């Protein structure tokens, strides 16, 4: 327990260093507790501020394209870490609140595109808990880019934390209008005329879930996927915005 308390104090000192605009360090006061979204930020010089941990574990924001979740995925769930600054309470759970800022969010409708309990519990004995947010990918259209802007709300249990860590964003889309990196990076795919429908069918056939997927052209797997996609468009009549039929291998 002593180790955990020391860890929180050091984290709070690190946050104070980051936010302090004068050449001094405010004294740490463990009589008050506050919460912060545990995330990685970049300073004015472009350096990562990994105060809570690595960027992989504590990203600055959460983003995804639903097409890379698999064709049968109906939702995507995030457990977003929330870090305590102050003394750990070993005896009681403490309630806190989350607010979705409608002015900074985009197209995201509660209980349609996402599910979130705005009343959360910071469980006893912990220095870090999480907020669970579920994005309903089956409700998304294929033209919009959505944004969910979450904010921590101070209450009787927790005062306001460090301003830079009081919010976090989830960015999500099912839009393939812009060719993903895996298509551009592949010397067999990038020679084909791009169309979002081609990409969507190829992803469904291949099962690729990495937007940055690469292939050096030496495998037969890619040729097999291309042949299946080519056959799919021969069997299904799809047309572009100008009324021209879409063929995969053109």
């Amino acid at each position: 327990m002593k180790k955990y308390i020391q860890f929180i104090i050091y984290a709070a000192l690190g946050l104070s260093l980051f936010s302090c605009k004068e050449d001094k360090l405010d004294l740490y006061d463990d009589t008050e507790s506050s919460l912060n979204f545990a995330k990685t930020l970049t300073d004015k010089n472009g350096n990562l501020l990994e105060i809570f941990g690595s960027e992989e574990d504590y990203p600055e924001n959460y983003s995804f394209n639903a097409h890379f979740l698999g064709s049968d995925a109906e939702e995507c769930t995030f457990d977003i870490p929330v870090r305590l600054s102050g003394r750990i309470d070993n005896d009681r759970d403490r309630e806190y609140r989350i607010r979705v800022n409608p002015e900074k969010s985009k197209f995201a409708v509660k209980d349609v595109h996402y599910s979130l309990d705005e009343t959360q519990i910071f469980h006893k004995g912990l220095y870090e808990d999480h907020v669970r947010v579920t994005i309903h990918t089956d409700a998304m259209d294929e033209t919009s880019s959505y944004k969910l802007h979450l904010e921590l709300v101070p209450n009787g249990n927790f005062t306001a934390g460090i301003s830079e860590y009081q919010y976090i964003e989830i960015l999500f889309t099912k839009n393939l209008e812009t060719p993903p990196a895996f298509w551009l990076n592949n010397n067999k795919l990038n020679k084909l005329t791009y169309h979002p429908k081609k990409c969507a069918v190829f992803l469904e056939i291949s099962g690729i879930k990495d937007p940055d997927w690469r292939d050096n052209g030496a495998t037969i797997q890619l040729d097999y996927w291309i042949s299946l996609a080519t056959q799919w468009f021969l069997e299904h009549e799809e047309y572009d915005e100008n009324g021209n039929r879409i063929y995969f291998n053109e």
Side-chain angles (χ1 to χ4, degrees):
M1 181 54 61
K2 182 179 179 182
K3 176 180 67 175
Y4 287 158
I5 294 175
Q6 289 176 335
F7 180 86
I8 296 166
I9 293 175
Y10 295 151
L13 290 174
L15 289 170
S16 298
L17 278 169
F18 173 67
S19 62
C20 187
K21 296 181 180 179
E22 302 178 10
D23 293 330
K24 67 177 183 178
L25 178 63
D26 292 335
L27 292 176
Y28 176 73
D29 181 4
D30 69 356
T31 62
E32 290 188 348
S33 295
S34 63
L35 297 178
N36 297 281
F37 282 118
K39 62 181 182 179
T40 299
L41 291 182
T42 304
D43 66 13
K44 62 182 180 180
N45 297 317
N47 301 311
L48 288 178
L49 299 173
E50 297 183 331
I51 293 175
F52 298 100
S54 68
E55 183 182 19
E56 181 179 353
D57 295 328
Y58 300 98
E60 181 176 357
N61 56 53
Y62 296 79
S63 63
F64 70 93
N65 188 315
H67 281 287
F68 291 92
L69 300 177
S71 58
D72 58 344
E74 297 181 353
E75 60 184 36
C76 181
T77 298
F78 295 100
D79 290 330
I80 301 175
V82 176
R83 185 71 63 86
L84 171 68
S85 177
R87 188 181 299 276
I88 293 176
D89 193 322
N90 292 305
D91 300 318
R92 64 188 180 100
D93 296 336
R94 287 176 284 180
E95 183 180 289
Y96 67 101
R97 293 187 61 80
I98 298 290
R99 172 180 181 260
V100 175
N101 188 321
E103 296 180 355
K104 296 183 178 181
S105 298
K106 188 177 180 181
F107 301 133
V109 179
K110 186 177 182 181
D111 298 327
V112 176
H113 301 113
Y114 72 94
S115 295
L116 168 67
D117 189 346
E118 295 179 353
T119 300
Q120 296 283 325
I121 298 296
F122 200 94
H123 294 90
K124 62 184 178 181
L126 299 182
Y127 70 90
E128 181 178 297
D129 214 325
H130 67 267
V131 174
R132 172 161 291 186
V133 184
T134 299
I135 307 298
H136 304 294
T137 58
D138 54 347
M140 298 163 55
D141 63 50
E142 300 202 4
T143 58
S144 299
S145 294
Y146 302 83
K147 180 168 70 173
L148 197 59
H149 185 99
L150 305 180
E151 298 175 346
L152 290 163
V153 180
N155 63 6
N157 293 320
F158 300 101
T159 61
I162 304 301
S163 59
E164 291 87 352
Y165 297 92
Q166 294 305 288
Y167 68 91
I168 200 160
E169 293 183 335
I170 303 176
L171 312 171
F172 52 105
T173 187
K174 201 187 285 186
N175 189 332
L176 291 172
E177 291 298 322
T178 301
F182 89 91
W183 189 284
L184 296 175
N185 293 337
N186 190 283
N187 61 5
K188 291 184 178 179
L189 292 175
N190 66 20
K191 292 178 181 177
L192 306 176
T193 301
Y194 182 80
H195 191 276
K197 185 63 178 180
K198 285 186 179 183
C199 187
V201 170
F202 183 81
L203 286 173
E204 184 172 351
I205 287 173
S206 65
I208 292 173
K209 295 184 178 180
D210 180 5
D212 297 313
W213 178 84
R214 291 177 178 269
D215 182 274
N216 61 11
T219 65
I220 62 172
Q221 187 66 60
L222 178 59
D223 292 328
Y224 176 65
W225 289 335
I226 290 176
S227 68
L228 291 179
T230 299
Q231 187 62 34
W232 191 96
F233 279 94
L234 289 175
E235 296 174 356
H236 300 80
E237 293 188 13
E238 296 285 339
Y239 296 86
D240 64 18
E241 297 75 12
N242 299 316
N244 300 313
R245 185 170 176 182
I246 300 173
Y247 293 95
F248 188 82
N249 59 342
E250 292 183 353

